[in-house]
Amino acid sequence: GRIVRRPLFSCCASEEDGAATEIKPVPVSGVWNQTSADEVVPEKGPPPPPAQTNQKEKPPGRQEETRKEPERVPEPNSVNGAAPLAAAPVAPPAPTQAPDPPMKDPIQFDVTVDLTVDELGLKLYVMPMSISISLVRSGAVQKYNNGALSDNYCVRQNDFIKAVNGKIAVSDMIDVLKTRSKMTLTIYRPVPFKVVLNKQNSILGCRINAMPGHSVIYVNEVLGGATSVHNAQVPEELQVKVHDCFIAVNGAHADVDK
């Protein structure tokens, strides 16, 4: 609103001469308003001082204590104290299949394949009494493995084909493998065991057949030497016999890709 000031007059009397002396009024700085002799329009000047409050005066030498607001700690996943960002839902980890326990008994299972679309996908080592699987490649058998419920029932390297469509003779199995498009393979997996043969002042004592590019060494005959010494010291299930296969020697496996 508009600030209104009134002119001030002062009158005083001198005590020395006992006479009153008229003092001329001193007008307040401003411009007289034409509508009223009692009102003036103030000139622009510095802003008025802030109004005094009824706060108690602080004792000298004591500084004013200011209360500092605690600093706000941004919530997790927030940017510059803004609202927290919505976190994307984390999918629970996919359940993993427990590994199969170690083999204690031989495993035998059937695998039915259709070769009208895919090839068999097996590298085979044909021996006099059996057919050994040296390598599982891409093909019908690998597709079967992808859908197997247990790793124990997947076709592996060093498994044996015991029968094909019920045929157990090696020549008959080969004939079915060559001529049929749909077949059922009977897979047999024996329990492996370790044999320690000491050839000091002796011979190995067995005739073997090792085919390049395959994963096993076939035992054709047991002749004596270190093999016979070993067989005499262990139970029958741990003896080396004809038609057995070595799958590793001192931890070294055959390179089936060569």
Side-chain angles (χ1 to χ4, degrees), residues 10 17 25 31 36 46 51 53 62 76 82-83 88 91 93 119 126 130 135 150 157 172 175 186 203 207:
S10 175
D17 52 10
V31 179
S36 172
T53 60
R62 181 176 179 179
E119 61 180 9
V126 180
S130 61
L135 186 65
S150 171
Q157 183 185 62
D172 293 337
D175 182 64
T186 301
I203 60 175
R207 184 175 296 164

Side-chain angles (χ1 to χ4, degrees), residues 108-125:
Q108 180 172 306
F109 56 97
D110 290 337
V111 176
T112 300
V113 294
D114 186 352
L115 304 185
T116 57
V117 178
D118 300 299
E119 61 180 9
L120 186 60
L122 296 178
K123 185 176 183 179
L124 303 177
Y125 180 18

Side-chain angles (χ1 to χ4, degrees), residues 213-246:
H214 293 282
S215 59
V216 298
I217 298 175
Y218 181 74
V219 178
N220 287 321
E221 187 177 3
V222 177
L223 301 173
T227 302
S228 295
V229 172
H230 164 79
N231 287 348
Q233 298 173 349
V234 298
E236 184 179 359
E237 62 270 16
L238 299 180
Q239 294 178 4
V240 179
K241 300 177 181 180
V242 177
H243 308 312
D244 282 351
C245 295
F246 296 130

Side-chain angles (χ1 to χ4, degrees), residues 94-100 148-154:
T96 56
Q97 184 178 359
D100 293 313
L149 298 178
S150 171
D151 185 58
N152 270 345
Y153 294 95
C154 290

